[in-house]
Amino acid sequence: MMKIEHAFNITYTQQLDEHGNLHESLPEFIKNDLGILSHCYKIMALTRIFDQKAVALQRTGQLGTYASSLGQEAIGAAIGSIMDDSDVFVPYYRDYSAMFMRGVSMVEILQYWGGDERGNCFQTPKKDLSLCIPIATQCCHAVGIATGMKIKHQKHMVIVSCGDGATSKGDFLESINVAGVWQLPVVFVVSNNQWAISVPRHLQTAAATIAQKAISAGIHGEQVDGNDIVALLDRIKTARDRAIKGKGPSLIEAVTYRLSDHTTADDASRYRSNEELKTAWSKEPLKRLREFLFAKKFWSEDQEIALQEECKLQVKQAVEDYMNIANQPIEYCFDFLYDNLPNAFLSQRDELLAKFKRMQGQKK
């Protein structure tokens, strides 16, 4: 005899289509605070202008390798809008819009990508983790933090983000598993931008959706249009409420597209077509939200012009501040590896300092 023991389904939510048309009425919490949409739009616009400038800085040798967030601004803006100050955000390397909303400065982001780790020591918020470059390891950190919150009976939660490629790593799978077993207050937001560097989504995993990986961990999983700020706000808020109330973790797959190269060290034209990219641009999040705001008369041409100018000025000032930061002391590459530097490294540190002083003397 054979019977169906369990049946599962994955929902997909879109409320604002690619032309800025709303499928149904706005969620109540947005109706009661329409300013959340214009605030999200401002952060998304700032992030895109910042992004363009950061790429330009890298191309002119004033910044190291940089990971663009082009096309994924709505996901971060939604995360930043929904989180409470007492929550903890564990980002990956394309989460600038969320980080800006959480209080991280553009200068700190530039400083980090400029090769100065001091940029990862955010002035605010102190509890959030820094940018994570290793793939999926931040998921382990997130469940560790969430475990501490549960043990302490705190009414806080954790949101951790990652890309679609990270969901094939053991760190991710182990993290969602323990989150399910221990019913931790954590939300996994997966930015499915269709490319794990040069590997397309269909070759990276055979699963029909990434959201269904939640099923194996016994947690809630769903898909959402990652270019739709309204749907993102709604579903992330619902997931956060579930976590805060002790109803367990969630996995949200935000379906979007990486409009940029993987990083400035990549050339995406070698592995994807112009037609695919053109189609993706027609669905991008800023244009979609802007058209909705214009149609509802929540935004005007004058406001748009003023916003663009304001964002450019903010980015310009951030770049100037970044360029004026004094270089970190050369010995820092030793001083922050260990609490107490092992004796084996002491002579190497002294040798490095002596060599650096000789080089500085030759320059004079």
Side-chain angles (χ1 to χ4, degrees):
M1 182 183 75
M2 182 182 293
K3 64 176 182 177
I4 296 175
E5 186 68 24
H6 295 286
F8 305 96
N9 60 69
I10 295 296
T11 62
Y12 174 84
T13 303
Q14 182 194 73
Q15 298 193 36
L16 199 63
D17 71 17
E18 60 195 76
H19 305 295
N21 300 314
L22 195 65
H23 292 307
E24 53 194 55
S25 61
L26 290 169
E28 284 300 316
F29 76 98
I30 297 180
K31 280 185 183 177
N32 295 332
D33 181 16
L34 291 172
I36 192 173
L37 293 179
S38 57
H39 182 54
C40 283
Y41 180 68
K42 290 175 183 178
I43 291 294
M44 290 161 64
L46 176 64
T47 302
R48 184 160 293 187
I49 290 174
F50 169 83
D51 206 74
Q52 292 169 349
K53 187 60 178 179
V55 172
L57 288 171
Q58 190 279 332
R59 299 305 190 205
T60 54
Q62 300 173 89
L63 199 68
T65 299
Y66 172 78
S68 170
S69 65
L70 187 62
Q72 297 179 216
E73 299 91 347
I75 301 170
I79 291 171
S81 294
I82 295 303
M83 293 186 75
D84 188 81
D85 289 344
S86 61
D87 297 333
V88 174
F89 182 43
V90 182
Y92 91 125
Y93 48 81
R94 300 189 201 278
D95 283 320
Y96 312 124
S97 51
M99 297 173 80
F100 293 157
M101 278 191 163
R102 298 284 290 165
V104 179
S105 73
M106 289 183 283
V107 176
E108 289 169 326
I109 299 296
L110 291 172
Q111 189 176 7
Y112 170 75
W113 288 115
D116 190 337
E117 286 287 349
R118 292 176 298 176
N120 258 340
C121 185
F122 308 139
Q123 296 307 300
T124 57
K126 285 295 187 182
K127 291 194 296 183
D128 286 5
L129 270 61
S130 56
L131 284 169
C132 186
I133 303 302
I135 306 301
T137 55
Q138 73 272 25
C139 299
C140 302
H141 305 153
V143 295
I145 296 167
T147 300
M149 289 176 174
K150 184 166 185 176
I151 290 171
K152 295 176 182 177
H153 303 289
Q154 296 174 334
K155 292 297 181 181
H156 311 321
M157 55 84 67
V158 181
I159 291 184
V160 56
S161 63
C162 64
D164 50 291
T167 66
S168 293
K169 295 291 293 292
D171 305 79
F172 173 83
L173 298 168
E174 292 159 11
S175 296
I176 62 172
N177 186 67
V178 74
V181 172
W182 292 346
Q183 287 293 282
L184 298 176
V186 58
V187 176
F188 299 86
V189 178
V190 179
S191 297
N192 176 8
N193 64 22
Q194 312 304 319
W195 290 95
I197 307 183
S198 59
V199 180
R201 160 71 178 80
H202 71 278
L203 292 179
Q204 188 259 122
T205 177
T209 68
I210 286 173
Q212 73 196 58
K213 297 188 179 188
I215 297 169
S216 66
I219 68 177
H220 174 79
E222 63 180 283
Q223 277 190 332
V224 63
D225 185 339
N227 296 334
D228 174 359
I229 190 66
V230 177
L232 284 163
L233 288 166
D234 183 33
R235 302 318 303 160
I236 293 174
K237 182 180 186 302
T238 300
R240 181 186 181 275
D241 290 345
R242 184 185 295 114
I244 289 293
K245 293 174 182 177
K247 295 183 178 180
S250 302
L251 191 166
I252 296 176
E253 176 190 354
V255 183
T256 183
Y257 194 89
R258 193 193 77 214
L259 296 173
S260 65
D261 298 326
H262 174 67
T263 68
T264 49
D266 175 46
D267 178 7
S269 66
R270 296 186 302 168
Y271 52 80
R272 68 183 182 192
S273 69
N274 289 332
E275 188 60 33
E276 179 181 327
L277 186 59
K278 182 179 178 181
T279 299
W281 267 106
S282 70
K283 301 176 182 180
E284 65 98 355
L286 267 79
K287 177 177 176 288
R288 184 182 306 200
L289 178 55
R290 183 169 58 245
E291 289 184 353
F292 172 76
L293 294 174
F294 274 135
K296 297 297 182 181
K297 301 191 184 304
F298 297 154
W299 198 247
S300 68
E301 288 289 353
D302 288 343
Q303 286 176 298
E304 180 66 21
I305 293 170
L307 174 64
Q308 293 295 321
E309 288 303 313
E310 180 184 350
C311 290
K312 290 175 183 176
L313 287 174
Q314 288 184 44
V315 171
K316 180 181 178 182
Q317 184 60 58
V319 171
E320 290 178 2
D321 292 344
Y322 156 68
M323 297 298 288
N324 287 326
I325 295 174
N327 291 333
Q328 58 187 326
I330 193 71
E331 63 269 24
Y332 274 19
C333 63
F334 283 95
D335 292 349
F336 297 101
L337 283 175
Y338 301 91
D339 185 25
N340 295 299
L341 193 65
N343 290 334
F345 290 123
L346 290 174
S347 61
Q348 295 180 35
R349 184 182 185 278
D350 292 341
E351 183 180 346
L352 177 66
L353 277 172
K355 183 177 181 180
F356 182 72
K357 288 178 181 178
R358 288 197 301 272
M359 290 173 61
Q360 291 299 101
Q362 292 172 0
K363 289 181 180 179
K364 293 178 181 180

